[in-house]
Amino acid sequence: MSIVPTKDQFKALLKLPKDQPVSMVNLLKFKAVADDGQESGAAAYARYMKNVAPLIQREGGRVVWMGEARSLYIGVAGTDDWDRVVIVEYPNPRAFIRMNSTEEYAAVHPDREAGLERTVLLVSAAEPLPVQ
């Protein structure tokens, strides 16, 4: 499983409305041992998060929520082994793309790759809540 987008996935992101916020919902499964063989995948990813947070903020984004994935309540057995869920909100898709296109991001991204066994990254847009 890839931890970087395909060309088609990137093109789909470019087609989203340019003036609407997006939330990136990250499902994360860590490697038991990071690529360097010296630490856990979770430790490598924690370093990535520490270093990417200022880049997210610079583009007007924010980490909305991060927590442990504890159990599957509804769904298919075997899809419940995620370690962590992270939700990051950006003012628009272009802000996310700009952040991912910087040299600073390229410098911190290896820790993400070193720590993740696999991931799912869902692009989500807020909708108004139904009126009660």
Side-chain angles (χ1 to χ4, degrees):
M1 175 177 279
S2 177
I3 65 167
V4 295
T6 65
K7 288 180 182 181
D8 288 340
Q9 290 167 332
F10 183 76
K11 288 177 186 177
L13 186 62
L14 291 173
K15 292 179 183 177
L16 294 175
K18 295 178 175 125
D19 59 347
Q20 295 180 5
V22 293
S23 293
M24 309 306 278
V25 180
N26 297 263
L27 304 179
L28 308 170
K29 179 67 176 173
F30 300 125
K31 295 174 183 173
V33 179
D35 290 347
D36 67 4
Q38 303 298 310
E39 62 185 346
S40 68
Y45 192 85
R47 186 172 47 256
Y48 163 77
M49 283 299 295
K50 177 184 174 191
N51 292 321
V52 80
L55 307 179
I56 293 168
Q57 292 170 352
R58 185 172 69 194
E59 291 298 335
R62 67 187 182 102
V63 177
V64 175
W65 189 87
M66 181 168 58
E68 176 186 357
R70 293 194 175 167
S71 67
L72 180 69
Y73 182 62
I74 296 174
V76 178
T79 63
D80 59 341
D81 64 341
W82 299 106
D83 294 318
R84 188 160 299 140
V85 178
V86 180
I87 302 173
V88 182
E89 184 181 72
Y90 293 89
N92 54 60
R94 300 280 179 183
F96 174 74
I97 292 167
R98 274 193 312 271
M99 190 269 305
N100 277 270
S101 301
T102 64
E103 289 181 19
E104 295 95 339
Y105 184 78
V108 303
H109 190 261
D111 283 331
R112 182 176 185 269
E113 289 188 12
L116 287 178
E117 177 181 309
R118 59 190 167 83
T119 186
V120 170
L121 180 55
L122 303 170
V123 182
S124 176
E127 295 179 7
L129 295 174
V131 178
Q132 304 249 1

